Amino acid sequence: MSRKIQVMVAEDQAMVLGALAALLETEPDIQVSARASNGREALKQIAKSLPDVLITDIEMPEMTGLTLAAEVRERYPQLHVIILTTFARPGYLRRALDAGAKGYLLKDRPAAELAEAVRRVHRGLRVVDPELAAEAWSSGADPLTDRERQILWRAGEGRTSSEIAAELHLSEGTVRNYLSEAISKLGAANRVEAARIARAKGWL
């Protein structure tokens, strides 16, 4: 019998994590070899279990799925990543692909599609919802730089410029300049509106 595809699932909701693992385990050629509830834990588990495919949510505590995908690309280039999320946002898809993900699926898709996606990315293929892909490439590129994104995300969470400056080891003036640039790029009236726009596009 050929070796089963070794899969790791990273998901912060315990019930969803258990359900995904149980569904995949019903497939004769797939084995869930590791589970994690956040991105940092996932990286530790990957080093131990060395899976073939990683299925990860986007929004998780400590490290997001997008950051995790980028880390995996750097440390474990042989590991194929599938983003499994509720977010049908073009910006998230573009960022996921930029981070090296080979698949991007929505959680409301049939379970059989996830198993088939695991097989396809394991063969080196890419699996992306075609309608979402078309929308992503027609919606325009993310105008924010990484630093603008970091600062705008914190501003959207309610942090003040001084708090952001202390956290990122920048001056308050530098933080205000980045925020001003981000607000201008997004055509927003203020930092709150800019964060809302960026989130809706999947840029935060």
Side-chain angles (χ1 to χ4, degrees), residues 4 9-10 13 21 28 31-32 36 61 68 75 92 112 115 130 134 136 164 169 180-181 185-186 189 193 198:
K4 291 185 177 183
V9 182
Q13 296 184 40
Q31 179 178 358
V32 178
L68 174 60
R75 302 188 197 186
Y92 273 144
I164 297 171
H169 307 291
S180 177
E181 188 67 20
K185 286 180 177 180
L186 297 173
E193 184 183 358

Side-chain angles (χ1 to χ4, degrees), residues 12-55:
D12 64 321
Q13 296 184 40
M15 188 175 293
V16 177
L17 176 59
L20 287 172
L23 285 169
L24 289 169
E25 285 283 8
T26 65
E27 300 294 329
D29 57 339
I30 295 174
Q31 179 178 358
V32 178
S33 56
R35 309 179 190 189
S37 59
N38 63 63
R40 293 198 187 283
E41 182 185 345
L43 280 178
K44 293 178 183 178
Q45 293 285 354
I46 289 168
K48 295 177 183 177
S49 62
L50 297 176
D52 302 307
V53 177
L54 167 64
I55 299 171

Side-chain angles (χ1 to χ4, degrees), residues 73 92-103 126 128 137:
R73 180 180 58 184
Y92 273 144
L93 171 57
R94 292 177 71 109
R95 288 169 62 196
L97 297 179
D98 288 345
K102 296 297 183 184
R126 178 170 283 175
V128 177
W137 300 121

Side-chain angles (χ1 to χ4, degrees), residues 149-198:
R149 190 179 299 112
Q150 292 168 1
I151 291 172
L152 187 59
W153 179 83
R154 288 168 171 79
E157 292 291 303
R159 290 178 177 81
T160 65
S161 293
S162 60
E163 289 171 339
I164 297 171
E167 188 174 342
L168 297 180
H169 307 291
L170 300 170
S171 71
E172 285 189 51
T174 298
V175 168
R176 286 193 293 269
N177 287 341
Y178 277 120
L179 281 172
S180 177
E181 188 67 20
I183 290 167
S184 176
K185 286 180 177 180
L186 297 173
N190 52 52
R191 62 176 68 185
V192 174
E193 184 183 358
R196 180 185 58 76
I197 293 170

Side-chain angles (χ1 to χ4, degrees), residues 101-139:
K102 296 297 183 184
Y104 193 100
L105 299 176
L106 301 178
K107 288 181 178 178
D108 62 359
R109 304 301 298 169
E113 287 191 19
L114 177 59
E116 186 56 29
V118 168
R119 298 181 184 102
R120 288 175 63 83
V121 300
H122 184 242
R123 297 199 301 268
L125 303 175
R126 178 170 283 175
V127 181
V128 177
D129 180 274
E131 290 185 13
L132 186 58
E135 185 180 351
W137 300 121
S138 65
S139 65

